[in-house]
Amino acid sequence: MTRRHWIKLGAAFSASAMAVEPASRSLRILVLGGTGFIGPHQVRYALSRGHRLTLFNRGRRPIDWPGEVEELIGDREKGELASLANREWDVCIDNPTSAPFWVRDVGRVLAGRVKHYIYISSISAYAATDRPGMTEDAPLAKYAGPDVMLETHATLQENMALYGPLKAACEVEAEKWFPGIATIVRPPLIVGPGDETDRFTYWPVRVAKGGEVLAPPADDPVQFIDVRDLCEWTIRLAEQRAFGAFNATGPDYDLTVSAFLHGVRASGTAPAKFVFVGSDFLKSQGIRPWSDLPGWVPGQGETAGFARIRNDRALAAGLTFRPLAVTAADTLAWFQTLPAERRAKLRTGLAPDRETAALKAWHEAKG
């Protein structure tokens, strides 16, 4: 996003932060990153709680913060970590990193110099998702390549099948360098204002247009988390010094595709009508889960447990959730601030002509 759009987004954050109570004590927090999707939400909430922030990144996305923030320059891909040397912090938050050597290199510099290390992982770190009700103790994916430390973000873009194994390998490095003081957070799909992937945004935007909306099977499960809920809870985990692994999946009840889409529709007034179709029909039309119909995977077979992961441990540690309609409305409002050319074509989801063709085929098949 451009600096102008972050200023608009920041104004909304500042308004909500006015009601935030200060933490019982101020922490020195190092955020690795801080200017991507989730980082700014963490920083603004941490500032509102009275913490002292240091950001470490490449300095390519300057942001105006509502408070004093120290910024250190370095490039983890190139091993440029000199600005972190001989410094100490209470907490280090390592935002979505998928290259294990990034975690290893930071560990070499910060081991013994931070009291708490929080790594944002993913539910994709699990070895399999065919079993509903998985907890944090489920087996993790295994890397099968020649040397996991040679994998970079560039190679990941070439082979996204590595994503889960690399996340799991990052977790191993986190536990190795920060034994006993590491927190592993495993979110599902992260959604909300600022998400440039459109993997959630597709639905508020599509529903707002009204008319017939092609939808996945009504009873299949859905899990996601609002980026603000994830980031605010991450800061509270730091305040609690809560160690161990947590599934940051939401919401705190079983959510079906039907309930999800009706919740999105409740955020506006558009007369959208959902046409729920079966997985077999979608497959026959070449419509793929997750990419063509974002946020959904079949609730059976090898993905039966993907959106049925237990979050009891996270709830006990204070994870809370905004109402779905609030997330949908805020996401749509943010999307509408983007330039017209950006809004003209969503980056994920069905193109209008494909949806129209699929709806026609469905109605013809049903007579």
Side-chain angles (χ1 to χ4, degrees):
M1 289 183 291
T2 66
R3 183 171 177 271
R4 176 171 60 88
H5 293 122
W6 268 120
I7 290 173
K8 287 183 178 180
L9 198 55
F13 294 159
S14 298
S16 63
M18 292 174 63
V20 176
E21 295 183 0
S24 60
R25 64 189 181 96
S26 177
L27 298 174
R28 297 167 299 164
I29 300 177
L30 168 65
V31 178
L32 303 180
T35 58
F37 174 32
I38 73 174
H41 297 274
Q42 291 170 343
V43 173
R44 293 179 185 279
Y45 184 74
L47 288 172
S48 73
R49 297 279 284 177
H51 300 303
R52 291 164 286 169
L53 274 293
T54 299
L55 306 189
F56 173 84
N57 52 54
R58 291 172 293 183
R60 297 178 179 177
R61 299 179 181 178
I63 296 176
D64 291 332
W65 302 110
E68 184 177 349
V69 175
E70 178 188 21
E71 302 202 42
L72 304 178
I73 303 299
D75 190 333
R76 298 171 76 178
E77 189 74 9
K78 299 177 181 178
E80 298 174 353
L81 305 175
S83 61
L84 296 177
N86 302 316
R87 295 285 304 274
E88 294 185 356
W89 289 272
D90 296 309
V91 185
C92 171
I93 300 176
D94 198 344
N95 283 323
T97 295
S98 303
F101 81 90
W102 281 27
V103 182
R104 178 202 64 192
D105 292 353
V106 162
R108 288 173 172 172
V109 176
L110 295 182
R113 296 187 176 276
V114 296
K115 301 174 183 177
H116 189 181
Y117 174 86
I118 301 176
Y119 174 67
I120 308 298
S121 185
S122 167
I123 60 169
S124 295
Y126 289 116
T129 56
D130 59 339
R131 181 169 57 88
M134 284 196 305
T135 68
E136 290 83 354
D137 301 319
L140 298 181
K142 300 294 185 181
Y143 174 78
D147 186 349
V148 72
M149 292 302 168
L150 297 180
E151 301 292 355
T152 67
H153 285 90
T155 59
L156 177 61
Q157 296 303 313
E158 298 172 1
N159 182 9
M160 286 303 296
L162 290 173
Y163 181 71
L166 292 186
K167 277 292 190 181
C170 287
E171 292 189 18
V172 171
E173 288 299 304
E175 297 286 357
K176 173 183 175 181
W177 292 99
F178 304 96
I181 60 168
T183 299
I184 307 297
V185 178
R186 298 178 186 138
L189 178 65
I190 305 172
V191 309
D195 177 19
E196 288 286 349
T197 70
D198 296 341
R199 290 180 297 181
F200 174 88
T201 308
Y202 170 82
W203 292 111
V205 170
R206 177 61 192 88
V207 169
K209 293 179 180 178
E212 285 194 331
V213 179
L214 185 72
D219 293 331
D220 275 358
V222 177
Q223 285 186 320
F224 63 91
I225 188 167
D226 187 303
V227 63
R228 297 163 294 184
D229 294 330
L230 172 65
C231 293
E232 293 168 11
W233 179 62
T234 300
I235 300 302
R236 296 197 297 273
L237 283 177
E239 295 168 357
Q240 299 171 41
R241 288 180 59 78
F243 305 129
F246 298 89
N247 291 328
T249 53
D252 52 357
Y253 57 90
D254 293 335
L255 181 67
T256 64
V257 167
S258 176
F260 167 71
L261 290 179
H262 283 91
V264 170
R265 190 175 66 180
S267 65
T269 58
K273 178 182 179 182
F274 302 116
V275 179
F276 299 100
V277 304
S279 297
D280 291 340
F281 172 79
L282 293 172
K283 186 175 181 180
S284 72
Q285 295 294 308
I287 296 175
R288 300 163 297 176
W290 199 257
S291 55
D292 290 331
L293 293 179
W296 163 75
V297 297
Q300 308 79 35
E302 63 182 17
T303 55
F306 183 83
R308 295 186 174 103
I309 294 176
R310 297 191 65 86
N311 59 5
D312 307 65
R313 191 178 296 178
L315 295 178
L319 178 59
T320 58
F321 307 98
R322 285 167 171 76
L324 168 57
V326 171
T327 299
D330 291 351
T331 302
L332 181 61
W334 163 77
F335 185 76
Q336 290 172 339
T337 69
L338 300 180
E341 59 272 21
R342 166 67 176 87
R343 290 182 279 115
K345 185 177 181 180
L346 289 162
R347 293 171 174 170
T348 310
L350 278 179
D353 58 337
R354 290 189 65 201
E355 182 187 32
T356 298
L359 286 168
K360 180 181 179 182
W362 174 258
H363 289 308
E364 289 176 350
K366 293 297 180 180

